[in-house]
Amino acid sequence: MPLDGQVSPVIELPTALEQRWQTMRILMARIEDALAKALQASHGLSVSEFAALSALAYSDDDGHLRQQFLADSIPLNQSSLSRLVGRLEKLGLTERYLCPHDRRGVYTQITDKGRACVEEARVVYVQALEAVLAEVARNEDLAPAAAWLAEAADPAPRA
């Protein structure tokens, strides 16, 4: 930590690729932190729980997905997804069932309560995302990546 009056050190990674990847990692961490705080405070959800509910709610398969596909779409490893789905199930937001054709296949289905939850939480999620992007836009290192993401900001959801 620099002392008062001292200039902070500068980190120059060896290649542009490494520098840009580090910038993306920093941006992702700031966004993830802002989303986590907002979702936890407003709906008691983690970012991964919200991501799972969103994947289910907005899938073209009527709100149910094979757990392996859900894990890949968030992304989470299979073990973490099982615990996450268990938490969502206890809250009445999802339910699991076995595939009727392949008893090894486990599906997760979003409930009506889960759909309502994701719709309410989505408002907070988008507001927090837009706020953190506006905040990091003032950082010269993060501004280009933040601007690229902010270009996609659209208050109207896809039909």
Side-chain angles (χ1 to χ4, degrees), residues 31-47:
I31 291 171
E32 191 87 14
D33 184 55
L35 295 175
K37 288 176 182 174
L39 288 170
Q40 188 61 47
S42 65
H43 291 84
L45 293 174
S46 71
V47 175

Side-chain angles (χ1 to χ4, degrees), residues 2-158:
L3 299 174
D4 287 336
Q6 285 187 325
V7 177
S8 296
V10 174
I11 300 170
E12 290 288 335
L13 296 174
T15 66
L17 176 62
E18 291 168 285
Q19 292 168 12
R20 288 181 184 185
W21 176 240
Q22 184 63 13
T23 298
M24 289 300 295
R25 291 184 68 234
I26 292 167
L27 178 61
M28 288 176 2
R30 291 206 184 157
I31 291 171
E32 191 87 14
D33 184 55
L35 295 175
K37 288 176 182 174
L39 288 170
Q40 188 61 47
S42 65
H43 291 84
L45 293 174
S46 71
V47 175
S48 293
E49 289 166 343
F50 177 79
L53 289 172
S54 291
L56 291 164
Y58 298 111
S59 77
D60 65 355
D61 205 5
D62 197 29
H64 63 273
L65 295 170
R66 191 174 183 127
Q67 282 202 187
Q68 185 58 53
F69 187 85
L70 182 58
D72 291 343
S73 72
I74 294 178
L76 278 180
N77 64 45
Q78 191 64 42
S79 173
S80 296
L81 181 79
S82 290
R83 289 191 304 274
L84 181 145
V85 169
R87 290 191 306 271
L88 293 175
E89 218 172 6
K90 285 180 184 173
L91 294 170
L93 304 176
T94 64
E95 52 197 17
R96 284 185 269 200
Y97 63 94
L98 294 176
C99 175
H101 308 297
D102 176 4
R103 302 295 287 175
R104 295 171 297 169
V106 179
Y107 282 79
T108 299
Q109 170 79 38
I110 192 167
T111 63
D112 289 341
K113 182 178 176 183
R115 285 186 190 280
C117 179
V118 77
E119 284 302 315
E120 291 173 16
R122 184 180 162 274
V123 173
V124 171
Y125 181 87
V126 171
Q127 288 172 345
L129 183 55
E130 289 173 343
V132 74
L133 288 175
E135 179 186 316
V136 298
R138 296 187 296 270
N139 177 308
E140 72 179 64
D141 293 329
L142 302 178
W148 176 76
L149 281 174
E151 284 177 16
D154 180 1
R158 289 183 293 164

